[in-house]
Amino acid sequence: MQVQTTSQASKFPAAAFGLRPPLAGKSPTGIQMVLVKGEELFAEGDQADFFYQVVSGAIRSYKLLSDGRRQIDAFHLRGDIFGLEAGAEHRFSAEAIGSATVIAYRRSRLDSLIQDDAAFRSRIMTATLRSLERAQDHMLLLGRKTAQEKMATFLLDMAERLSKDDEHFELPMQRSDIADHLGLTIETVSRTLTQFARSGLIRLLPAGRSIGLCNKMALRGLDA
Amino acid sequence: MQVQTTSQASKFPAAAFGLRPPLAGKSPTGIQMVLVKGEELFAEGDQADFFYQVVSGAIRSYKLLSDGRRQIDAFHLRGDIFGLEAGAEHRFSAEAIGSATVIAYRRSRLDSLIQDDAAFRSRIMTATLRSLERAQDHMLLLGRKTAQEKMATFLLDMAERLSKDDEHFELPMQRSDIADHLGLTIETVSRTLTQFARSGLIRLLPAGRSIGLCNKMALRGLDA
DNA sequence: CGCCGTTTTGAGCCTAGTCAATGTACGTGG
DNA sequence: CCACGTACATTGACTAGGCTCAAAACGGCG
């Protein structure tokens, strides 16, 4: 991992990842970290001394069962803040999916910011409530949707989050990550994608990472 | 529904549901509501002008798919706060499971309380983060646990939340609620309980609502 | 006592999982 | 530049856990 402090506004491209004052305005000191593929940022149970914002690449945060089964609760893409905890410890592990860059903020700074700054506080509260909303939507998906519906929901969400034209994008993660996010197996993920491609709903480019949505209406129908 | 304002301490049995000052101390005006079985408090999409705290009974909050499939994201028991939203609208529906009593608080009050009162603020923040934690644990359950593991987790959680001795309790909800909470069908819930009873893990009293845990060790083992 | 909502039990099926083999992309080193 | 190795994705055959459909049992309550 390469580390580089970013204590000046010039090194803190706030606009690039959606920060507005006061967080950006106060240009809090952050540590920029360059992560290689698969590198772990923190593990479940670690002290939560830092929280993070994605600059580039993608991060997966997940929980494990004792026998290794994994549930990826979220993928964090450019601009997303993650790793902010109520208690002293992280309740998730987090790893870089490919190579990625994040900025780490000391949590101690956060606490004082929360005390002092009503606007910042409400931003954190909103971010937390947004995570809760996502979690609630995802519970509906995990508990009650079929494999096809899960994949359709996932593809539409990804298109929205990482496509400019909302139609074509590169998946940053591999099949096993998608499977562990949707509560499926890699085989089912793969089969469902092939099936979507054969039905003309999507276009799958070589390596299976590049995806084009041809029929968003139909996908939305599957989204239930 | 019977409504009764509770602006005085005498009508606000704070100790009974775990409230301590400043919320109780300031005795904020709440509206006490007595709900009959199945009565709806609010629906997904309603204006979120109130949030609630359970005084007695149990509330289910849930989302529906277009064809009626339901996911119950949480059961709210005595003392729990729920219905607090980031946006203007409720993101799920909430109903009384049996007859229940709740206190409704105006959300507008909340905002001013949050402004003024650091202790109250941290209580709301903690409650929100606790919901998030529960949601995250529940995603792991829904996505990756087997039917037996789901039931074991559920029983241990319920024992902790509504049993005094941690061993024996009355389930406030019926099988279909449990099923929609765990991502199963009522038949699977019933079969799994019978199986647990036959294995001597639990004792099932008539009507299937009263449950005693005979072998918590073994249940914890299944909890994965 | 008899009705109705709920739970339990049974039989058979189906979706998604498992196990296994093949295919494909890409990076490394000869 | 090509051969090989590795990691990932796809495909196939088969299995099984949990679902569906159906019926019977139970309990609470009028």
Side-chain angles (χ1 to χ4, degrees):
Chain A
M1 180 188 79
Q2 295 174 30
V3 168
Q4 168 183 20
T5 60
T6 59
S7 48
Q8 288 174 282
S10 63
K11 291 186 177 180
F12 192 82
F17 44 90
L19 274 185
R20 289 183 301 270
L23 183 50
K26 295 201 169 177
S27 34
T29 303
I31 304 171
Q32 179 155 332
M33 302 166 70
V34 177
L35 305 165
V36 300
K37 177 177 166 180
E39 188 168 351
E40 184 177 75
L41 259 175
F42 54 81
E44 198 174 339
D46 282 1
Q47 284 295 111
D49 296 329
F50 295 89
F51 65 100
Y52 304 86
Q53 187 170 36
V54 180
V55 177
S56 70
I59 306 291
R60 59 180 170 241
S61 66
Y62 61 92
K63 284 173 179 284
L64 295 175
L65 292 175
S66 48
D67 64 357
R69 277 172 289 172
R70 183 178 66 158
Q71 176 64 41
I72 294 181
D73 74 296
F75 296 115
H76 306 287
L77 308 178
R78 159 177 295 226
D80 294 345
I81 291 174
F82 65 97
L84 196 47
E85 303 289 349
E89 297 181 355
H90 284 297
R91 287 189 318 282
F92 285 107
S93 307
E95 294 173 349
I97 289 177
S99 50
T101 311
V102 301
I103 296 182
Y105 297 101
R106 287 212 165 274
R107 196 180 154 195
S108 52
R109 283 175 185 283
L110 174 75
D111 293 330
S112 60
L113 268 177
I114 283 187
Q115 283 306 323
D116 302 345
D117 187 327
F120 179 75
R121 182 194 310 148
S122 91
R123 170 155 333 172
I124 293 294
M125 188 71 183
T126 303
T128 306
L129 283 161
R130 187 132 309 145
S131 296
L132 185 55
E133 282 167 29
R134 284 183 150 279
Q136 286 163 343
D137 289 340
H138 206 59
M139 285 191 283
L140 178 61
L141 176 147
L142 291 170
R144 286 294 178 232
K145 291 190 183 179
T146 64
Q148 290 199 4
E149 290 165 348
K150 287 175 177 182
M151 279 306 306
T153 306
F154 175 73
L155 290 175
L156 290 168
D157 180 48
M158 281 298 130
E160 195 175 311
R161 290 175 69 194
L162 45 76
S163 168
K164 311 210 172 292
D165 59 5
D166 231 47
E167 300 254 317
H168 183 270
F169 54 92
E170 295 272 322
L171 287 176
M173 74 291 286
Q174 59 189 48
R175 299 293 184 259
S176 62
D177 293 321
I178 301 175
D180 286 348
H181 184 51
L182 301 179
L184 299 170
T185 58
I186 53 174
E187 292 93 336
T188 300
V189 168
S190 180
R191 277 190 254 267
T192 307
L193 284 173
T194 326
Q195 184 186 343
F196 281 178
R198 277 206 250 275
S199 320
L201 298 186
I202 64 173
R203 191 161 317 173
L204 262 179
L205 293 182
R209 292 296 186 89
S210 179
I211 292 193
L213 307 187
C214 310
N215 191 341
K216 288 217 285 184
M217 283 287 96
L219 280 177
R220 290 229 178 71
L222 280 178
D223 192 5
Chain B
M1 180 188 75
Q2 296 174 29
V3 168
Q4 167 183 22
T5 58
T6 60
S7 48
Q8 289 174 277
S10 64
K11 291 186 175 177
F12 193 80
F17 45 91
L19 273 185
R20 289 183 300 271
L23 182 51
K26 295 201 169 176
S27 31
T29 303
I31 304 171
Q32 179 155 331
M33 303 166 71
V34 177
L35 306 166
V36 300
K37 177 177 169 179
E39 189 168 351
E40 184 177 76
L41 258 175
F42 54 82
E44 197 172 341
D46 282 0
Q47 284 296 112
D49 295 330
F50 295 89
F51 65 100
Y52 303 86
Q53 187 170 37
V54 181
V55 177
S56 69
I59 307 290
R60 58 180 171 240
S61 67
Y62 61 92
K63 284 172 176 285
L64 295 175
L65 292 176
S66 48
D67 63 356
R69 278 172 289 171
R70 181 177 66 158
Q71 176 65 39
I72 295 181
D73 72 294
F75 296 116
H76 305 287
L77 308 179
R78 160 175 296 225
D80 293 345
I81 291 172
F82 65 98
L84 197 47
E85 304 288 348
E89 296 181 355
H90 284 297
R91 218 146 318 271
F92 44 80
S93 308
E95 293 173 349
I97 290 177
S99 51
T101 311
V102 301
I103 295 183
Y105 297 101
R106 286 211 168 275
R107 196 180 155 197
S108 51
R109 277 172 192 287
L110 173 74
D111 293 329
S112 61
L113 267 177
I114 282 186
Q115 285 305 325
D116 302 346
D117 189 325
F120 177 75
R121 180 196 311 151
S122 90
R123 171 155 333 172
I124 293 295
M125 191 69 186
T126 303
T128 306
L129 282 158
R130 184 134 313 144
S131 298
L132 184 56
E133 281 171 32
R134 292 183 84 75
Q136 287 163 341
D137 289 339
H138 206 59
M139 286 193 281
L140 178 61
L141 176 146
L142 291 170
R144 286 295 178 230
K145 291 190 184 179
T146 65
Q148 289 199 5
E149 291 165 348
K150 286 175 176 182
M151 279 305 306
T153 306
F154 175 74
L155 291 174
L156 289 168
D157 181 47
M158 281 299 129
E160 195 176 310
R161 288 174 70 194
L162 45 75
S163 169
K164 310 211 173 294
D165 59 5
D166 231 46
E167 300 254 314
H168 183 270
F169 53 92
E170 294 274 322
L171 286 176
M173 74 291 286
Q174 58 189 50
R175 300 293 185 259
S176 62
D177 294 321
I178 301 175
D180 286 349
H181 183 52
L182 301 179
L184 299 170
T185 58
I186 54 174
E187 293 93 334
T188 300
V189 168
S190 179
R191 276 189 254 268
T192 307
L193 284 173
T194 320
Q195 185 187 343
F196 281 179
R198 277 206 252 272
S199 322
L201 298 186
I202 64 173
R203 190 161 319 174
L204 262 179
L205 293 182
R209 292 296 185 90
S210 179
I211 290 192
L213 307 187
C214 308
N215 192 340
K216 288 216 286 185
M217 283 288 95
L219 281 176
R220 289 229 178 72
L222 280 179
D223 193 5

